[in-house]
Amino acid sequence: MSFLYASIDAAQDAHNLRSMKNLTLRVDENTLAKARLIAAEQSTSVSELIRDFLNDLISQETRRDEARRELVALCEGSEARVGSKDWTRNSLHER
């Protein structure tokens, strides 16, 4: 049974690799050297580190956008109202 799952995983990985696009980055040597060390410590590649970072960034932005939409919907559905402005900036700062 595990051979079947391994074959399915390998087929999915091959499909994912075919659908990925290359990206060229310019980084200084020190940054790349540190990234390679981190990747080696995590038993992965610099490409995988960058891919994970981008996926996390996109996920955060997606969640942030959804939270904004929910907040706008709550505000629009709220029955709270703001009263009239009967004060001036100077009156607020008078002692």
Side-chain angles (χ1 to χ4, degrees):
M1 226 18 163
S2 64
F3 175 74
L4 175 62
Y5 291 126
S7 297
I8 291 171
D9 289 343
Q12 288 173 340
D13 289 345
H15 171 72
N16 289 340
L17 286 175
R18 283 192 303 271
S19 66
M20 290 187 187
K21 301 295 180 190
N22 287 328
L23 172 66
T24 302
L25 298 173
R26 290 183 164 273
V27 296
D28 63 81
E29 289 181 35
N30 190 37
T31 300
L32 181 56
K34 289 179 181 178
R36 284 180 172 153
L37 285 174
I38 292 168
E41 289 170 357
Q42 296 181 13
S43 300
T44 190
S45 65
V46 173
S47 291
E48 186 70 24
L49 289 177
I50 293 170
R51 193 169 28 255
D52 289 347
F53 171 79
L54 292 175
N55 285 329
D56 289 346
L57 179 66
I58 291 166
S59 177
Q60 288 173 8
E61 285 298 313
T62 301
R63 288 192 312 270
R64 190 173 296 128
D65 289 345
E66 181 61 27
R68 284 186 189 120
R69 282 191 293 276
E70 289 176 12
L71 183 58
V72 167
L74 284 171
C75 290
E76 289 173 348
S78 173
E79 295 187 20
R81 299 293 172 246
V82 177
S84 63
K85 177 187 167 212
D86 58 352
W87 48 266
T88 65
R89 184 178 188 277
N90 287 337
S91 69
L92 292 176
H93 294 285
E94 289 178 358
R95 291 184 183 210

